[in-house]
Amino acid sequence: MPSQTSLQQLQEWLAKNDFKISEKVRIEGPPFRIIAEEDIEPGTIVGVIPKDNILSIRNTAIAHVFEEEGMEGEMLPLVIATMYERALGTKSPFYGYLQSLTKPDIPLFWNDERLSEIRGTELYHIVLGDRDQLKEDYQIVVDLMERYPEMKLDKMTIEDFYLVFSFVVSRAFQADEYHGEALVPFADLFNHKTDGEHVHLEADAEVCANCGSVECDCGLEDFDEEIEQESVPELEEIPEVEPQLIPPKQTLDMTIVRPVKKGEEVFNTYGEHGNTFLMRRYGFAEEDNPYSYVAVEREDLLSFFEDDRIEFWDQVGSAIVQQIIMEKGSEDEECEDGCCDHDHEGHSHEGHDHGDHEHGEAEEDDDEEWEDEEEHDEDCQDDCCAEDDEIEEDDFALKADGTPSFELLAFLTLLTMPAQAFEKVTTDIEFALNALLKLHDEPPAKGQKTSIVQQKIKQWAEWRLKQFPEIKLSGYNAILVQQEHAILLRAVL
């Protein structure tokens, strides 16, 4: 009898572990992708994933290790749990899933010669930092091996650790408050499409962080809360509640949010990420990526300014900027009518077919019932309020159009203003706040290059452009370097 393929083993494992995969889709690969078998409308659930069978620090035999060590809510414990399950081989209850994972082609694994092709980019320095940090993390694993020999990880090398880390960091979902970061089989088979995804992962809005139940009766969730006696109703005051016909679900659901035609690939989204992030996590980049940016290192700017102004920024200016960002951000958090009316067709990409994904948090779903054709009426369905892991207003960076982020603009404005104005700012905090508020709401027009601020940005960008290697690139490396190069040119020209 011929041996099973990786796909056959995965499909058999999914079926055996109660994953409900709709007949409206099929799995192809490896490399894996999801294809529509027929036209699919929004609201259709194409996969129901039991939380009991996701790989989390709660669902592994070494869960006690993480509890005893207080290692919850972090990525590293999930890496260790996955290393443990892989070490068990066919004895692991997750073997049918884990055998389908393949090594991604990401810069973390590149040799020095290949990595040198992206020298001068932000990614180059990030990868070097990643390698140093992972060495420190691996030492934590080594220490745990000594304290918990039952984990049987003594034969795991640092290369094994790197590999499993790449699996986890590129695939993990924030499942819920109980499981935390987890590997979610089937959900991680959907490839990425910028601003054009068809499917979202949905979960119950709230679960008990101690027992994982939707309707908690473990008595631990409110253990630290003081309940006043008079706030507890008398027995006769408690109204009768109709029993629920459908119990709260302990699943994660893959729900269609945009129509899909028969034969098309069904895409998820990994978030609004620039090419540095995409290359670092998954090994691909997108041409004309609207979320790309170039980070500006503060240390590269300090030589331009006087020490007293830098001290004022550190002690006062930065705090004012953070206050403005928080206040402006809270105003934007209310999802007003029309805030989600994005033009998702504005950035047309072919998608990326590869084996590793990072998905962020599962969307919360308060509805306890589900049917294959159920209509889901969700607020902010198109992620208008979703957290963006890339360029934020409190980063020093040049955005895709070559303009500075708000914090970089505020930093340079405060440190280059005339002496009289700077003295006014340092002696009148209300004046400083109002000046920066105006700067936030009315930034300099794009293309205005005459101010001292713009001159400093141009000076830095010209220096940065000289850091790129003068070699001919191809593939994703060329896309990464060319877009970063283009952003800097927009800041210069």
Side-chain angles (χ1 to χ4, degrees):
M1 180 178 178
S3 60
Q4 289 182 309
T5 66
S6 177
L7 175 57
Q8 288 172 332
Q9 291 186 70
L10 175 62
Q11 290 175 316
E12 183 178 293
W13 183 87
L14 292 171
K16 181 180 179 181
N17 287 278
D18 300 322
F19 286 71
K20 298 178 183 178
I21 312 301
S22 170
E23 295 181 354
K24 297 177 185 293
V25 297
R26 72 174 185 272
I27 305 172
E28 289 187 353
F32 296 112
R33 61 178 186 160
I34 304 296
I35 302 297
E37 290 278 54
E38 59 184 78
D39 293 353
I40 312 176
E41 295 300 317
T44 304
I45 295 179
V46 295
V48 179
I49 301 164
K51 290 183 181 180
D52 286 344
N53 293 319
I54 63 176
L55 178 46
S56 75
I57 62 173
R58 303 285 193 173
N59 287 346
T60 178
I62 57 172
H64 67 284
V65 172
F66 308 122
E67 185 174 352
E68 292 171 8
E69 295 291 325
M71 297 177 66
E72 299 182 4
E74 306 171 21
M75 189 71 73
L76 183 58
L78 181 57
V79 174
I80 297 171
T82 306
M83 290 179 66
Y84 169 77
E85 296 296 339
R86 289 185 80 245
L88 293 178
T90 57
K91 296 181 180 179
S92 169
F94 295 98
Y95 174 76
Y97 165 64
L98 293 174
Q99 61 80 35
S100 70
L101 307 184
T102 57
K103 181 178 179 179
D105 182 23
I106 57 176
L108 181 65
F109 299 120
W110 293 356
N111 59 33
D112 292 343
E113 180 180 358
R114 189 176 178 192
L115 189 62
S116 68
E117 294 182 2
I118 60 171
R119 180 173 53 83
T121 67
E122 180 188 13
L123 179 59
Y124 177 82
H125 299 286
I126 289 176
V127 172
L128 296 180
D130 284 345
R131 290 177 176 178
D132 291 339
Q133 181 60 54
L134 284 177
K135 290 177 183 177
E136 296 180 13
D137 290 343
Y138 179 67
Q139 188 57 49
I140 296 176
V141 177
V142 172
D143 294 341
L144 282 177
M145 291 179 192
E146 296 176 355
R147 294 200 299 276
Y148 299 92
E150 67 269 26
M151 293 199 307
K152 300 179 180 179
L153 295 178
D154 53 296
K155 295 183 180 180
M156 286 290 170
T157 66
I158 192 169
E159 287 75 20
D160 295 323
F161 175 71
Y162 278 8
L163 179 61
V164 175
F165 172 83
S166 71
F167 291 156
V168 171
V169 78
S170 61
R171 290 177 174 267
F173 289 84
Q174 179 69 26
D176 60 28
E177 290 296 318
Y178 177 69
H179 289 280
E181 297 282 350
L183 295 183
V184 184
F186 181 67
D188 60 9
L189 300 180
F190 293 83
N191 289 310
H192 169 75
K193 191 171 187 179
T194 295
D195 290 339
E197 75 276 12
H198 303 104
V199 68
H200 287 171
L201 180 70
E202 295 178 349
D204 285 305
E206 294 182 0
V207 299
C208 174
N210 296 290
C211 70
S213 174
V214 178
E215 295 183 346
C216 175
D217 58 1
C218 69
L220 296 175
E221 187 173 28
D222 299 322
F223 183 78
D224 295 327
E225 296 182 8
E226 294 185 4
I227 304 177
E228 297 183 3
Q229 184 64 34
E230 58 268 24
S231 67
V232 181
E234 298 293 334
L235 183 61
E236 60 270 20
E237 296 176 358
I238 300 177
E240 294 185 5
V241 179
E242 291 291 331
Q244 293 186 353
L245 298 179
I246 300 179
K249 62 175 180 280
Q250 288 292 330
T251 62
L252 301 170
D253 301 340
M254 298 303 296
T255 303
I256 297 295
V257 297
R258 179 178 281 102
V260 192
K261 295 294 184 182
K262 178 180 179 180
E264 290 183 344
E265 180 170 359
V266 185
F267 289 101
N268 196 355
T269 176
Y270 307 163
E272 297 177 347
H273 300 304
N275 282 337
T276 295
F277 185 97
L278 295 176
M279 281 286 286
R280 179 190 185 195
R281 293 291 183 91
Y282 322 114
F284 71 85
E286 298 178 314
E287 293 184 358
D288 301 319
N289 186 330
Y291 303 110
S292 286
Y293 67 98
V294 175
V296 180
E297 293 295 332
R298 169 189 158 114
E299 289 71 19
D300 295 339
L301 301 173
L302 295 184
S303 61
F304 297 157
F305 308 108
E306 300 175 6
D307 290 343
D308 61 333
R309 296 201 175 196
I310 295 172
E311 183 178 358
F312 174 77
W313 169 263
D314 290 338
Q315 296 180 356
V316 180
S318 180
I320 294 176
V321 167
Q322 295 302 320
Q323 179 183 343
I324 292 173
I325 292 172
M326 290 180 63
E327 290 178 355
K328 294 295 182 179
S330 63
E331 292 175 6
D332 294 338
E333 284 178 2
E334 297 182 6
C335 202
E336 300 176 356
D337 292 342
C339 76
C340 296
D341 296 334
H342 299 310
D343 178 9
H344 286 274
E345 303 305 317
H347 306 290
S348 179
H349 301 278
E350 292 301 318
H352 297 272
D353 190 7
H354 56 97
D356 295 271
H357 317 266
E358 184 275 349
H359 306 268
E361 298 184 7
E363 290 192 6
E364 296 181 347
D365 179 13
D366 292 314
D367 195 344
E368 295 177 345
E369 301 181 10
W370 65 270
E371 297 178 9
D372 282 349
E373 301 295 339
E374 182 177 0
E375 181 79 11
H376 288 268
D377 183 17
E378 298 176 359
D379 292 335
C380 302
Q381 175 171 282
D382 293 325
D383 292 335
C384 70
C385 299
E387 182 178 355
D388 180 1
D389 292 329
E390 286 302 289
I391 176 66
E392 301 284 355
E393 285 191 294
D394 58 350
D395 291 329
F396 279 12
L398 297 179
K399 296 180 286 187
D401 62 359
T403 60
S405 63
F406 173 56
E407 182 164 8
L408 176 59
L409 181 61
F411 176 80
L412 293 174
T413 298
L414 284 176
L415 272 62
T416 60
M417 63 176 49
Q420 186 176 359
F422 182 74
E423 182 178 357
K424 175 71 172 176
V425 165
T426 57
T427 56
D428 188 341
I429 300 302
E430 188 68 23
F431 175 81
L433 176 60
N434 290 333
L436 291 175
L437 273 171
K438 183 177 181 180
L439 185 66
H440 181 281
D441 296 337
E442 302 175 18
K446 183 180 178 182
Q448 180 182 336
K449 305 294 184 181
T450 58
S451 70
I452 297 178
V453 169
Q454 295 296 345
Q455 290 174 15
K456 296 298 183 184
I457 291 174
K458 179 180 178 180
Q459 182 181 355
W460 179 86
E462 288 174 338
W463 168 82
R464 186 72 162 69
L465 283 166
K466 296 177 182 178
Q467 308 306 308
F468 293 107
E470 295 182 2
I471 57 176
K472 186 175 181 179
L473 301 175
S474 61
Y476 293 135
N477 283 1
I479 294 174
L480 174 75
V481 172
Q482 286 168 4
Q483 185 168 35
E484 196 162 310
H485 195 273
I487 293 172
L488 291 168
L489 283 177
R490 293 186 188 108
V492 170
L493 299 178

